[in-house]
Amino acid sequence: MSKSSPQVALHYADYLKLAALLAAQEPESVRHGRPAHDEMLFIIVHQTYELWFKQILHELDRIQVDFGGEVVEDEYLGRIVHGLERINEILKLGLARGMRSQYAGKPFEDTLTEADRSRIATAERGPKLIDQLDRWLSRTPFVHRPDYDFSREYRKAVKQMLEDDAARVRANAAMSPEQREAEAKRIEASLEEFQAIFAPASGPSPWQMSRSAVQAALFIIVYRDRPVLQLPFRLLAALMNVDELLTLWRYRHALMVQRMIGVKIGTGGSAGHDYLRDTAAKHRIFSDLFRLSTYLIPRSRLPKLPRELEDAMGYRYAARPGA
């Protein structure tokens, strides 16, 4: 009988590679013979950001594997939501290239090394979470049924609500005629955008996701109290949370830069505060989900669901005996 090899003790410092980690801060000011005390803080803060970026990408890898199948298994939804909720500070979800702000007048990857540019190109060729979300939403059941067509019933309710809002604005004596007309036209434009959700798929759309996905997201948000839709709603809410938190992080970062360097040129030749402020305003990923809030109506005005559909979206064991 062969002897098993003795177990080697694993120490905390070795496990975390603390020697390498704590030696990774090399201030440039020291190298130039003019030590700047605050540079150490700058390096440590930004290295910490990079480690969080790495963790976020680690979470997204599993989320995209779970979302990547032709069918997303129900048991995956819980850990998808858990992973999204773990991403609570920053995220990297692959904005479309046309939606990105330029860095110092050039594409952001121009400032990267060739190896990093190659990794970015590989990631951009891979699946995007927004596309996987679109496909998953498009498969949502309950939205179109012979006994209830969400697109038809909900459209009537929202159209009536927005038309009533526009009429109230035009009758509001507290506003100037110009204000009344401008606000009424804004409401009418919202109605046109809403109607575009249900327009033929071949026409142009103001929405980022497919029309079927937007309809399904709206259905989930509207009827989120139904048991079968509670976890899908948490998933959508988690996506909006990480988008919101990333925006807040960018705003805080922009304010920090403005406080430290004012309007001077930033690191790498960017426009400093102005560039960061622009990314906070533009770099939104799940903007469609936020826009749907415009079309939520009071619960008292929700179209009544057929009993069969209510049962299908509930818990069977909770049904009344004999019902």
Side-chain angles (χ1 to χ4, degrees):
M1 181 182 293
S2 61
K3 293 183 178 180
S4 59
S5 58
Q7 186 173 2
V8 178
L10 182 61
H11 297 286
Y12 174 85
D14 296 333
Y15 177 65
L16 294 181
K17 304 295 187 290
L18 289 185
L21 180 64
L22 298 178
Q25 297 77 43
E26 299 180 357
E28 283 291 300
S29 60
V30 173
R31 191 168 67 86
H32 290 283
R34 298 189 301 274
H37 178 81
D38 289 345
E39 188 181 1
M40 182 63 76
L41 175 63
F42 180 88
I43 293 173
I44 289 175
V45 166
H46 286 81
Q47 286 179 339
T48 303
Y49 287 161
E50 296 299 329
L51 289 173
W52 278 117
F53 294 158
K54 182 175 183 177
Q55 179 63 33
I56 286 168
L57 292 173
H58 179 67
E59 297 294 338
L60 287 172
D61 283 343
R62 190 176 74 173
I63 288 169
Q64 290 204 255
V65 168
D66 287 347
F67 249 142
E70 286 299 314
V71 176
V72 178
E73 301 295 339
D74 289 344
E75 61 265 29
Y76 290 173
L77 290 183
R79 71 183 191 188
I80 289 172
V81 171
H82 179 71
L84 290 170
E85 290 175 343
R86 185 175 283 177
I87 303 170
N88 58 3
E89 291 294 336
I90 46 179
L91 79 167
K92 178 73 173 178
L93 291 178
L95 276 171
R97 181 167 296 273
M99 298 171 64
R100 290 186 178 275
S101 297
Q102 290 199 324
Y103 184 82
K106 297 178 291 187
F108 77 98
E109 72 270 22
D110 280 11
T111 62
L112 304 178
T113 65
E114 183 60 37
D116 285 341
R117 284 199 294 272
S118 177
R119 282 193 286 270
I120 291 292
T122 299
E124 288 188 334
R125 289 194 296 268
K128 304 295 188 297
L129 182 55
I130 186 69
D131 296 331
Q132 293 172 323
L133 175 68
D134 192 304
R135 289 194 295 273
W136 175 72
L137 284 170
S138 297
R139 297 193 296 265
T140 301
F142 312 121
V143 181
H144 302 290
R145 291 165 55 99
D147 57 344
Y148 179 77
D149 189 329
F150 174 70
S151 65
R152 182 183 65 247
E153 300 298 330
Y154 197 73
R155 281 171 72 184
K156 290 191 296 186
V158 172
K159 183 174 183 293
Q160 186 63 56
M161 179 189 72
L162 292 178
E163 287 176 347
D164 290 348
D165 288 347
R168 278 194 296 271
V169 165
R170 286 195 166 100
N172 187 350
M175 302 171 66
S176 69
E178 294 78 12
Q179 289 176 318
R180 290 198 297 268
E181 191 60 26
E183 183 64 17
K185 287 187 178 299
R186 186 189 65 79
I187 294 172
E188 289 167 353
S190 294
L191 178 57
E192 290 181 13
E193 187 178 80
F194 174 73
Q195 299 283 30
I197 299 175
F198 308 99
S202 58
S205 172
W207 296 87
Q208 177 185 3
M209 293 190 296
S210 68
R211 288 179 169 89
S212 59
V214 176
Q215 286 186 42
L218 182 60
F219 180 83
I220 290 169
I221 293 170
V222 167
Y223 294 112
R224 60 186 178 274
D225 289 339
R226 273 58 178 186
V228 77
L229 297 180
Q230 289 175 7
L231 196 55
F233 172 73
R234 283 183 57 199
L235 191 153
L236 298 183
L239 290 171
M240 287 189 282
N241 286 342
V242 291
D243 222 349
E244 177 183 339
L245 289 169
L246 176 58
T247 299
L248 290 174
W249 181 86
R250 283 181 166 134
Y251 273 123
R252 288 197 298 268
H253 192 194
L255 288 172
M256 178 189 71
V257 169
Q258 185 180 36
R259 181 174 179 173
M260 293 177 67
I261 67 172
V263 297
K264 293 195 290 292
I265 297 299
T267 305
S270 76
H273 169 261
D274 289 345
Y275 168 76
L276 295 171
R277 183 185 60 191
D278 182 62
T279 61
K282 289 180 57 179
H283 287 185
R284 298 282 293 278
I285 301 159
F286 303 104
S287 56
D288 282 357
L289 301 180
F290 285 86
R291 292 163 65 192
L292 288 176
S293 298
T294 305
Y295 311 112
L296 300 183
I297 63 178
R299 291 176 182 263
S300 60
R301 300 179 68 169
L302 283 178
K304 185 172 177 58
L305 297 175
R307 175 61 185 275
E308 184 181 349
L309 180 54
E310 287 275 14
D311 290 344
M313 293 196 295
Y315 294 128
R316 292 185 180 179
Y317 61 77
R320 295 192 309 272

